[in-house]
Amino acid sequence: QNHLRHVESLSTLPSGAGKIPHLNAVILGEALASEENDLVFPSQEFSSQALVSSPAQYLEMYKKSILDPSGFWSEIASEFYWEKKWPQQQVYTENLDVRKGDIKIEWFKGGMTNICYNALDRNIDAGNGDKIAMYWEGNELNHDGSLTYTQLLHKVCQLANYLKDIGVSKGDAVVIYLPMLMELPIAMLACARIGAIHSVVFAGFSADSLSQRIVDCKPKAVITCNAVRRGSKVIQLKDIVDAALIDSAKNGFSVGVVLNYENESAMKRECTKWTEGRDVWWQDTVPKYPTICDVVWVDAEDPLFLLYTSGSTGKPKGVLHTTGGYMIYTATTFKYAFDYKSSDIYWCTADCGWITGHSYVTYGPLLNGATVVVFEGAPNYPNASRCWDIVDKYKVSLFYTAPTLVRSLMRDGDEAIYIVDRSLITDILHLQFVTRYSRKSLRVLGSVGEPINPSAWRWFFNVVGDSRCPISDTWWQTETGGFMITPLPGAWPQKPGSATFPFFGVLPVIVDEKGTEIDGECSGYLCVKNSWPGAFRTLYGDHDRYETTYFKPFPGYYFTGDGCSRDKDGYHWLTGRVDDVINVSGHRIGTAEVESALVSHPQCAEAAVVGVEHEVKGQGIYAFVTLVEGVPYSEELKKSLTLAVRKQIGAFAAPDKIHWAPGLPKTRSGKIMRRILRKIASRQLDELGDTSTLADPCVVEQLIALSDQES
Ligand code: 6R9
């Protein structure tokens, strides 16, 4: 019972705003959310149709999920197809306490299933074969397509048969390096169908990063396409793969097959560089295979995929998710956090190269039999109204995106240009980016990737959703597989900027530096006390690092790396990373990775990277760079340092600012004092704090003087 205290406060929340005179509250659809409103209530109309319609209903379900996890999750898992059921007496095994031995998390072990079967065949068998599984919207306007569940299954089976034919079997890795074509989720599902482990690498990563991942997971094949158009740019992906494979061969691993999708609208095949014997055109080969492919049944604990993510050291971590628990968890979180109904049209703007695209473009929605919009392009191309054009075109009802996009569209304005012809006063040409679109189909909005600042929340709520749609601000991580702290849109009032309460089965705790749980209104480190089905099971090939990074900092808990505070009503407010990871436009970037890319430049002696507040991206990358003795500062050199980062990681990790540093502030033991660098980067010069422990306090003055000169 003690475990439940952090949600209990929900029961004291009133169920209707009208009844509480001391609160400044609004009800969905009735007024704009303003700075004075600290609570936004679901309307009666919304709640009455919602899957979870009141705090009381949530509390009852939540209590059950915590007090009887086996019963709670077994009941849900039974709605899916299992070739063989898991042993009833042992639904899960967990040890999250390093003091008690190896960390171990297993759910439904011994049960045999297949996630592709559950996402496709099961929905088709239920009569949804002709339902649209995916709408595809290309980069260019009017370039689109769609697949029904049956058509999608056929495409997945053809690819699965091809993969089998080239020798990919259960447990083999396949690297997927594709943009947001339908072929990306198709490739993921095809791997899953035959028990192969997919490892999607975001197609914005450089050849060096791709090679590093290839060498780590040693795939049987790489699936890519020749080129992609993003906005007005063409990016030749196959060239990047070629370079990565030359590099990986040097590091002792050669890939036998590269399957290339010809993305004709971006590049003709005649222009594509080709390696005979290794490269294969998708369109020439895959469609020749049968559209039926037997499922390979796998144990619930067999790996489903690897996804590399940034940590506090230079080497990316291969987060490993297994099949059964991940399946149940992504399906259930999707259903409840978006209050999913079978008539919904769902669009998530994330790329499948990140976890959001795994759990909430591909698996979660398809497991629910949903219709998903897959968008290839850039959300502000050809202009800032593209998203709302897509919303109206497909009648999107659930729209899930990142705060960085909300902020950038907010900056472009909802009412961008008014051209007033003064001779005809009444003739006003409105070119409003948002408001000229209907958006009537929207029902629930979602946010992910970083904390959403209240002003962006309000703009999203008031302007995009016409103050009619609740916002699910979903807090979770690559490691967690699915939502951990999230609103259930019909159940309780929202507070702009708060991810609210834990999802079923999740026990978040806030601990102090000593690892002691703190209660009531408090701030500290966010940990989780129990396992949940979607949790990652290890870091690929490095269980030690898994334990050290996540379970040793606060013994007995999974440590998230995030700071969090809880307010008097029990709402959770995520405050950002507390480790050396920065969050740029919702992308996790390890400062160490950027530093190591900078230092690889022959003229760079040392580098220290910190995150700095950025109006649109949330955080920007600010790099302090010390040059090799005698090398003069120049703009050219800044460019070439930036290029080194683009080359080693990818364009998205390029520093926003390079600050020349004759020296870096270090302690006497040689540790860089990032706290001071953060203050200098954000120009909070009167908050530098105690600099007396520095080996050479003059360094700080030099740094400030240099930044003054530059600005
Ligand atoms: C899903 C995803 C995880 C980190 C996480 C946290 C931040 C994600 C958030 C959020 C506040 C939210 N984060 N969602 N912070 N509110 N709703 O983004 O996974 O790429 O692994 O990043 O992102 O800092 O620790 P991932």
Side-chain angles (χ1 to χ4, degrees):
Q1 285 296 340
N2 207 20
H3 295 339
L4 297 167
R5 59 182 185 264
H6 60 278
V7 293
E8 226 70 281
S9 50
L10 252 182
S11 56
T12 61
L13 275 175
S15 54
K19 298 181 200 142
I20 23 159
H22 67 283
L23 283 176
N24 293 315
V26 289
I27 302 181
L28 281 185
E30 295 195 355
L32 294 180
S34 70
E35 270 174 51
E36 292 75 48
N37 309 132
D38 46 12
L39 284 173
V40 178
F41 280 82
S43 59
Q44 187 60 39
E45 193 191 346
F46 191 95
S47 284
S48 60
Q49 59 81 60
L51 292 167
V52 182
S53 57
S54 65
Q57 191 188 347
Y58 162 75
L59 279 171
E60 194 189 317
M61 291 172 77
Y62 183 76
K63 277 182 191 166
K64 174 157 192 228
S65 74
I66 296 302
L67 300 175
D68 176 21
S70 300
F72 182 85
W73 291 111
S74 289
E75 207 173 294
I76 293 177
S78 304
E79 292 166 24
F80 292 81
Y81 179 80
W82 295 80
E83 180 68 5
K84 180 174 155 235
K85 257 203 148 176
W86 61 92
Q88 298 297 301
Q89 66 283 11
Q90 182 109 49
V91 178
Y92 71 101
T93 314
E94 68 174 24
N95 174 37
L96 269 59
D97 191 338
V98 275
R99 294 163 304 194
K100 294 185 184 151
D102 293 348
I103 301 298
K104 188 171 176 184
I105 299 172
E106 287 174 348
W107 282 82
F108 310 109
K109 192 176 167 70
M112 302 292 286
T113 187
N114 183 291
I115 196 169
C116 173
Y117 183 90
N118 273 291
L120 304 183
D121 310 58
R122 187 179 55 100
N123 285 315
I124 294 167
D125 291 348
N128 285 323
D130 294 334
K131 182 172 177 179
I132 299 288
M134 282 178 192
Y135 283 117
W136 180 76
E137 172 79 5
N139 184 64
E140 303 303 320
L141 291 165
N142 304 321
H143 187 199
D144 52 22
S146 68
L147 290 175
T148 64
Y149 269 85
T150 304
Q151 290 167 331
L152 176 59
L153 175 65
H154 289 170
K155 293 214 175 257
V156 166
C157 286
Q158 287 180 319
L159 181 61
N161 281 322
Y162 166 77
L163 290 173
K164 278 203 298 200
D165 205 21
I166 60 165
V168 177
S169 53
K170 180 168 176 256
D172 289 337
V174 173
V175 162
I176 304 173
Y177 186 72
L178 279 172
M180 287 296 277
L181 302 170
M182 286 195 277
E183 281 64 26
L184 174 44
I186 288 171
M188 294 162 74
L189 290 160
C191 290
R193 191 161 191 91
I194 58 171
I197 306 167
H198 58 72
S199 181
V200 182
V201 178
F202 171 58
F205 273 110
S206 67
D208 290 5
S209 292
L210 178 59
S211 156
Q212 193 179 20
R213 286 155 176 76
I214 288 172
V215 171
D216 195 62
C217 74
K218 306 198 173 26
K220 276 268 169 76
V222 174
I223 304 181
T224 188
C225 73
N226 52 351
V228 61
R229 240 175 232 285
R230 250 189 97 72
S232 47
K233 278 189 281 194
V234 174
I235 303 152
Q236 306 197 353
L237 289 188
K238 170 88 170 34
D239 285 357
I240 299 175
V241 172
D242 286 348
L245 293 184
I246 291 172
D247 191 67
S248 73
K250 280 193 207 137
N251 287 297
F253 182 75
S254 296
V255 173
V257 181
V258 176
L259 180 66
N260 291 280
Y261 185 81
E262 181 187 6
N263 195 12
E264 222 184 336
S265 65
M267 188 183 189
K268 295 270 176 242
R269 64 167 69 187
E270 299 77 65
C271 309
T272 309
K273 290 191 207 93
W274 205 246
T275 304
E276 262 339 304
R278 183 197 71 184
D279 298 349
V280 179
W281 284 115
W282 177 311
Q283 283 92 331
D284 290 356
T285 324
V286 177
K288 293 186 182 143
Y289 283 83
T291 54
I292 294 174
C293 172
D294 284 346
V295 163
V296 173
W297 301 110
V298 299
D299 191 284
E301 280 303 328
D302 279 334
L304 173 64
F305 67 85
L306 281 179
L307 183 60
Y308 288 87
T309 187
S310 295
S312 12
T313 69
K315 190 173 178 276
K317 304 179 281 198
V319 167
L320 184 125
H321 282 283
T322 56
T323 305
Y326 176 84
M327 171 170 89
I328 303 309
Y329 200 68
T330 53
T332 312
T333 45
F334 173 82
K335 175 172 155 185
Y336 286 104
F338 293 117
D339 187 46
Y340 173 71
K341 304 283 155 40
S342 59
S343 53
D344 277 318
I345 307 286
Y346 166 79
W347 179 27
C348 165
T349 61
D351 190 290
C352 286
W354 310 107
I355 190 67
T356 306
H358 282 63
S359 303
Y360 302 109
V361 173
T362 309
Y363 293 114
L366 294 179
L367 285 162
N368 280 282
T371 297
V372 183
V373 177
V374 174
F375 177 44
E376 179 195 29
N380 48 10
Y381 175 81
N383 62 42
S385 66
R386 185 68 188 272
C387 288
W388 324 121
D389 186 52
I390 295 175
V391 164
D392 279 3
K393 176 170 172 184
Y394 297 102
K395 305 272 176 295
V396 171
S397 55
L398 312 173
F399 176 65
Y400 188 35
T401 192
T404 182
L405 179 65
V406 175
R407 284 191 300 266
S408 98
L409 297 177
M410 176 167 95
R411 202 177 58 166
D412 288 332
D414 33 291
E415 305 202 356
I417 309 164
Y418 284 89
I419 301 169
V420 183
D421 182 343
R422 293 195 181 281
S423 60
L424 281 166
I425 295 294
T426 49
D427 184 13
I428 299 176
L429 178 59
H430 291 242
L431 280 178
Q432 301 110 321
F433 284 138
V434 187
T435 48
R436 82 176 140 128
Y437 290 90
S438 146
R439 291 158 291 113
K440 283 273 179 299
S441 54
L442 290 172
R443 220 164 61 73
V444 179
L445 304 173
S447 171
V448 60
E450 54 174 314
I452 179 163
N453 45 310
S455 63
W457 194 101
R458 288 192 193 94
W459 184 82
F460 200 23
F461 179 82
N462 290 330
V463 178
V464 174
D466 282 330
S467 70
R468 189 187 67 241
C469 310
I471 297 179
S472 284
D473 174 4
T474 60
W475 174 81
W476 62 295
Q477 309 177 292
T478 305
E479 293 87 343
T480 69
F483 306 150
M484 298 292 279
I485 301 181
T486 176
L488 298 186
W492 57 73
Q494 312 193 307
K495 294 190 184 188
S498 166
T500 76
F501 290 90
F503 191 72
F504 305 128
V506 176
L507 267 178
V509 293
I510 298 177
V511 303
D512 62 16
E513 308 79 68
K514 296 198 190 82
T516 311
E517 279 180 44
I518 38 184
D519 254 341
E521 256 185 278
C522 62
S523 289
Y525 302 98
L526 182 64
C527 291
V528 185
K529 205 173 176 160
N530 62 333
S531 82
W532 61 100
F536 68 140
R537 307 302 200 239
T538 192
L539 292 179
Y540 181 68
D542 203 349
H543 201 69
D544 273 355
R545 189 175 180 197
Y546 174 71
E547 297 191 339
T548 309
T549 313
Y550 300 102
F551 298 93
K552 284 196 181 147
F554 300 108
Y557 304 103
Y558 162 69
F559 173 47
T560 63
D562 277 348
C564 181
S565 55
R566 202 186 282 128
D567 70 14
K568 60 181 190 330
D569 299 320
Y571 282 66
H572 293 80
W573 299 79
L574 278 300
T575 52
R577 302 289 305 191
V578 293
D579 54 9
D580 292 328
V581 170
I582 41 189
N583 192 327
V584 181
S585 301
H587 299 156
R588 262 164 80 167
I589 298 172
T591 51
E593 284 173 77
V594 183
E595 286 163 7
S596 107
L598 288 167
V599 177
S600 74
H601 190 287
Q603 290 170 318
C604 173
E606 201 170 18
V609 166
V610 295
V612 61
E613 209 172 89
H614 188 286
E615 196 194 338
V616 173
K617 300 185 197 175
Q619 280 190 302
I621 301 180
Y622 196 109
F624 292 88
V625 172
T626 309
L627 296 176
V628 167
E629 200 57 50
V631 173
Y633 303 138
S634 73
E635 282 306 308
E636 270 320 291
L637 187 52
K638 275 193 184 170
K639 282 192 196 133
S640 112
L641 285 161
T642 304
L643 198 66
V645 181
R646 296 171 81 100
K647 185 171 165 308
Q648 288 194 24
I649 307 175
F652 64 92
D656 295 280
K657 164 105 185 155
I658 290 179
H659 184 140
W660 299 126
L664 292 170
K666 290 184 188 165
T667 60
R668 288 190 192 99
S669 60
K671 214 168 171 323
I672 296 174
M673 302 220 8
R674 286 167 197 281
R675 171 179 62 79
I676 294 177
L677 292 177
R678 274 188 214 109
K679 295 290 177 200
I680 297 176
S682 56
R683 307 295 296 160
Q684 293 168 300
L685 301 179
D686 45 353
E687 294 171 28
L688 292 177
D690 184 10
T691 54
S692 62
T693 54
L694 287 174
D696 177 8
C698 298
V699 163
V700 175
E701 281 150 41
Q702 284 174 341
L703 282 177
I704 295 173
L706 264 174
S707 68
D708 284 344
Q709 267 174 32
E710 288 192 31
S711 56

